[in-house]
Structure formats: C-alpha cells, structure tokens
Amino acid sequence: MKLQRMNRRAIALGAIAASSALVLTACGSDDTSGSDGGSSAPATGAASSIKCDSAKGQLLSDGSSAQKNAIDAWVAQFSKACGVQINYKAGGSGAGVTSFTQGQLAFAGSDSALKPEEVTASKKVCSGGQGIDLPMVGGPIAVGYNLSGVDNLVLDAPTLAKIFDSKITKWNDPAIKKLNPSAKLPDLKIQAFHRSDESGTTDNFTKYLKAASASDWTYSGGKAWQAKGGQSAAQSSGVAAQVKQTNGAIGYFELSYVADGVKAVSINTGASAPVAPSSDAASKAIADAKVVGTGKDLSLQLNYATKADGAYPITLVTYEIACDKGNKADTLPATKALLRYIASEDGQGLLTNLKYAPIPADIISKVRTTIEGLS
C-alpha cells in the first residue's frame, strides 16, 4: 500500500510539473521574470535563436518610446532565456541619446540617427571608438484621430501641416471636406496633440511634412516640437492616451498605439489611392531607404515624399545605438547577445504581429555583421 501511495504521488507531481510547463509556454512574451540559469536557448520556438554566451547581470537602456512594444516582446524572450535583467525606460529618443553620451547606458534607442555633435560626444564614453546607429525596428507613424461618426478619414501633407500649425482649426474646414466628400464632418474644434519631450517620432513626422509640403511646413525640424499652438503630452503613449479620451483630437504616434477609440488616417500621397498605415505599407517605403552612414554606422535616408502605390510615407526607423569599440566589459556580453537576438530572423519575425515593420533583408544582414564586431 505504501508503494502504491508513493507511485500515485509521483504521478500527481508529474502532472503538476507538466501543467506548469504548459502555463509557462502559453505565457510566451508576457513573462519577463523567468530565467533558465543562463542556458543558450529558451523553451519557446519564438526565441530559439537566442545565444546567451556569457551574458549576465543587468542592462540599463533608455530612448525611443515608439519601439517600446517591440522592446517589451524582445526582452520577455531574451530574459527568459538568459536570466539578464533589462530596464528600458522609453523616455524618448532625446533622453536616450543624452544618457548614452553621458555613459549611463549600455545602449540607447533613437528614432533619429546620431548627429555629428552626438557622435563626438559619444567618443568620450566609447574608449577608442564611437556610437553607431543600428537600424532594428521599422514602422509607420500613424496619424491617429478620435472623431465621432467619422470612421475613414483621408488627409494629405498640406492639410496635416496646417492642422498641426494651427492654421486649420475646425473639422469641417473646406480642405478636409474636399478630401472626404462623403464624410459627415462636424463643426468641431480640432485638438491637435504633439510630443512634449524631445522625440525621434516628432523628428520623422516633421521630416515628412517638410519633404511633402515644404511651402506649408516652414520649420527646420528636429526632435523638439517647433510649430505654433496645439497641446502636448509625453511619449507616444501619452499622446495616444490624450487622443483616445478627447473627441475631436488628432496626434501622431507609432501604429501599435492605435487601439480602441483611436482610428488611423489614410494618407493621400498622390498615388492611385490613399494609403493606410500598415507594416507592409511601411516596408514598401523603407525598402527605398539608402544607407548613408560611414564606417560601421548604418544610418538610413528615408524617402518621405514617396508616391509609390501602397507605400506609406510617414515611416520611421528606430536605431539601437551602441559603441562600436570601448563598450564596458561588464555589459558587453549581454548587450551583444540581446542585439544579436533583436537582429535575428526570430527577433525580426516578432515585429509584424506588433504592427511594426521588419528591417529589409539586405540592411539587417549588415546589422548582424556589425553586431558581431562590437568590442
């Protein structure tokens, strides 16, 4: 009898263990706290390419809020596999670059490539090297709006420029009516929201306005908002939240922030039909990008004024910024391992379901080679 009780207990414990394993597998990218003690591969197929090597400890990073949803998914898989704690603040591209050049971060995320003065500053913390741009995340910048009774809104660059410069202030303005002849546009004030923090999303959005409608958008551009009027909120999540809770609101943020209560504008680019933001439409635009960085830097030049059918023009590429040489010895293994996973086929494969666009194959191949040479 004692032996039978022991066998029954062993079978029960085995069932519990199997059930627990299934729960962990089902949790997937939502579980960021697990660790397998530094093994070289996780239990889930989504991250089968992770190679932890000697990665350990923790990484501190900051920057682009546009890529936060992608970072969260990557970190969940990587931390489960390697047991490395990663703290990504998503405080905006400006904050990330500043902290990186001050030596506070293992790497930074930015929706704009490093400026010459930022490269110079990075040389003080990258001993014998400098900060370089590694394109990792592509995606459309959605122009999100909240307008009762209007489900399909089309705008173009001149109209957007005037809206965000407080020159078009009502939703039933003739310029908007012309683009949306069948819509019931209300006599309602437009509440335009922009970023309060320095942001690569702002930089890319205003580059589009300047490239596609220079006569209507006369500002020089950059990470800091320059136009008149409007309201502001911090980070992409903050702008999206304000749009969601305000009837008559419009703002710009990465497509993954378009959710219940927020709809996305389709852009009239002059192509055969207006283009809605999507991963595929952004990929078509990013495919025209040119590598303009020198040496190991892989910064890109995007064509914001594209009129190609199906190409969404308001796109951004988020760069992970790291030292090509002179990385800190205690964080280099984990930094390389994480960046290697992000650039891998598995890492890039997570992006489409998160409403991002993978980096084109020829560019991401160069990124992978560059990561292996980080020292």
Side-chain angles (χ1 to χ4, degrees), residues 141-315:
I141 300 173
V143 179
Y145 72 99
N146 177 357
L147 190 59
S148 296
V150 180
D151 293 328
N152 299 294
L153 185 68
V154 175
L155 297 174
D156 59 12
T159 307
L160 281 168
K162 292 170 185 174
I163 287 173
F164 282 93
D165 199 21
S166 302
K167 293 176 181 176
I168 290 179
T169 59
K170 290 289 189 75
W171 279 109
N172 62 349
D173 186 276
I176 302 178
K177 282 185 174 182
K178 185 177 180 180
L179 291 165
N180 300 272
S182 62
K184 295 181 179 179
L185 297 166
D187 182 13
L188 179 67
K189 182 181 178 181
I190 297 174
Q191 306 277 359
F193 286 89
H194 58 265
R195 291 280 290 270
S196 60
D197 53 321
E198 288 199 359
S199 160
T201 309
T202 293
D203 190 15
N204 284 275
F205 179 61
T206 56
K207 281 179 179 176
Y208 158 73
L209 295 177
K210 193 169 184 66
S213 188
S215 61
D216 297 297
W217 194 261
T218 58
Y219 302 96
S220 61
K223 294 176 184 176
W225 186 257
Q226 297 173 326
K228 302 173 184 177
Q231 302 179 63
S232 64
Q235 287 119 40
S236 293
S237 58
V239 174
Q242 290 297 322
V243 172
K244 182 175 181 178
Q245 68 186 22
T246 308
N247 186 38
I250 190 169
Y252 58 91
F253 31 79
E254 203 278 325
L255 181 60
S256 63
Y257 290 95
V258 173
D260 294 342
V262 179
K263 304 177 183 71
V265 172
S266 292
I267 304 298
N268 183 339
T269 65
S272 61
V275 186
S278 71
S279 295
D280 287 344
S283 291
K284 288 182 180 179
I286 295 170
D288 284 340
K290 298 178 181 178
V291 176
V292 294
T294 58
K296 294 182 179 180
D297 186 88
L298 295 173
S299 57
L300 305 176
Q301 183 179 69
L302 300 172
N303 180 11
Y304 298 97
T306 181
K307 294 183 180 181
D309 284 346
Y312 185 78
I314 319 176
T315 59

Side-chain angles (χ1 to χ4, degrees), residues 43-56:
T44 57
S48 61
S49 65
I50 293 178
K51 296 179 181 179
C52 301
D53 294 337
S54 56
K56 60 182 179 179

Side-chain angles (χ1 to χ4, degrees), residues 1-8:
M1 291 295 292
K2 183 176 180 181
L3 180 60
Q4 289 176 339
R5 285 196 299 271
M6 290 176 65
N7 286 339
R8 285 197 297 269

